[in-house]
Amino acid sequence: MTPPDLLEEAAAELAERLPYADIDQIAHACREGRAGLRALEAKAAGIAVRTACQRLRDHLTNDVDGRYAAGLLIGAAKARQTLRSKRGVDVVWTGPPSAVHTARLTTAVVSELIDSATTELLLVSYASYPPASLSTALASAATRGVEVSLLLEQQTDNPRFTGSTSFSRLPVTRLRWPVHRREPGAALHAKIIVVDRQVALIGSANLTGHAFEKNFECGILLRDADNARAIADHIDSLREAGVLTAAA
């Protein structure tokens, strides 16, 4: 392939994997050429953004203008947004890339889901060592009036659990599955995010930085209001029955 062809391929792949906010800042850096990408790489917190900067620097040769690269990125990202709005199911991955570019990064999907919430968010997880970006996004959601509910595993309810129950400073509703309402040895092992009872992400990834950017994880994003509502209603029903209770 010629350099422009390679750049177009890279732009399409990055637009598939990264949230629009990341693409936008990478495109802005592209307009400044290799120096701009190098500067963004140095300050970016996320592995995915740093890797994207490295990859694009290799394509910005004397034959390729940075503004052209920026235009490709923004164009591809907007096209992907349109396609996703019409597609009911997406596969979501964390882990090593492959030759198949039909899946999206977990961190990108979670960021977009939380930012899109207007009324309520439900997050269920076993472990929770959240990256700063997740805590910030949840705090922002709570500030704009979104009702955030967290159902997390607790060591008091599962002695084998050694993880964290973070988010202590967030104004959210905290839930637990009490030990006396479980079968012996049972664990709260589900990993779910439901947004506005319209969209749901179900998969293997806990609310941790490793799960979002390093581990080998897989999930399914459902843009299906019936199923998303059914998940949220199931949690509500367990709360009403006393199976789930308020956490301290």
Side-chain angles (χ1 to χ4, degrees):
M1 291 186 184
T2 64
D5 290 335
L6 289 171
L7 181 59
E8 185 174 341
E9 182 181 275
E13 181 183 341
L14 293 173
E16 176 69 34
R17 293 166 63 82
L18 297 177
Y20 187 86
D22 285 349
I23 292 294
D24 188 52
Q25 67 172 336
I26 294 169
H28 182 77
C30 274
R31 295 186 183 99
E32 305 299 322
R34 292 170 62 88
L37 288 169
R38 192 175 291 108
L40 177 57
E41 181 185 344
K43 70 178 184 180
I47 295 173
V49 172
R50 296 199 300 271
T51 301
C53 289
Q54 293 168 6
R55 181 175 180 183
L56 289 169
R57 280 209 324 271
D58 293 338
H59 294 301
L60 292 189
T61 64
N62 293 334
D63 298 326
V64 179
D65 189 290
R67 290 170 296 180
Y68 172 71
L72 283 178
L73 284 167
I74 295 298
K78 289 183 176 180
R80 287 296 180 183
Q81 283 184 324
T82 300
L83 177 62
R84 287 171 193 144
S85 68
K86 299 177 180 179
R87 190 166 63 190
V89 179
D90 271 323
V91 179
V92 180
W93 287 99
T94 305
S98 73
V100 179
H101 303 314
T102 58
R104 304 190 61 208
L105 292 179
T106 304
T107 183
V109 171
V110 172
S111 295
E112 289 182 358
L113 286 176
I114 294 174
D115 289 345
S116 71
T118 60
T119 57
E120 61 180 290
L121 271 169
L122 168 66
L123 297 94
V124 183
S125 184
Y126 178 73
S128 56
Y129 293 95
S133 59
L134 175 58
S135 297
T136 299
L138 287 175
S140 177
T143 298
R144 64 178 184 267
V146 177
E147 181 182 343
V148 181
S149 298
L150 297 174
L151 173 57
L152 306 175
E153 184 63 296
Q154 309 274 339
Q155 190 170 24
T156 54
D157 301 318
N158 180 359
R160 296 177 298 172
F161 175 69
T162 58
S164 168
T165 52
S166 305
F167 310 103
S168 59
R169 297 182 180 181
L170 291 179
V172 301
T173 299
R174 294 172 179 81
L175 302 172
R176 56 183 284 231
W177 184 21
V179 63
H180 66 276
R181 299 305 302 263
R182 308 183 182 199
E183 293 293 330
L188 196 168
H189 213 252
K191 293 91 174 178
I192 303 166
I193 299 176
V194 181
V195 180
D196 297 337
R197 302 188 183 231
Q198 297 293 309
V199 182
L201 174 63
I202 305 100
S204 63
N206 285 300
L207 299 177
T208 68
H210 276 69
F212 287 176
E213 292 200 337
K214 294 183 178 181
N215 293 349
F216 203 126
E217 310 279 3
C218 183
I220 297 295
L221 177 63
L222 294 174
R223 296 182 185 85
D224 182 327
D226 289 340
N227 282 310
R229 189 179 301 111
I231 294 170
D233 288 348
H234 177 65
I235 298 299
D236 286 346
S237 179
L238 292 176
R239 290 174 67 180
E240 292 170 2
V243 176
L244 303 176
T245 63

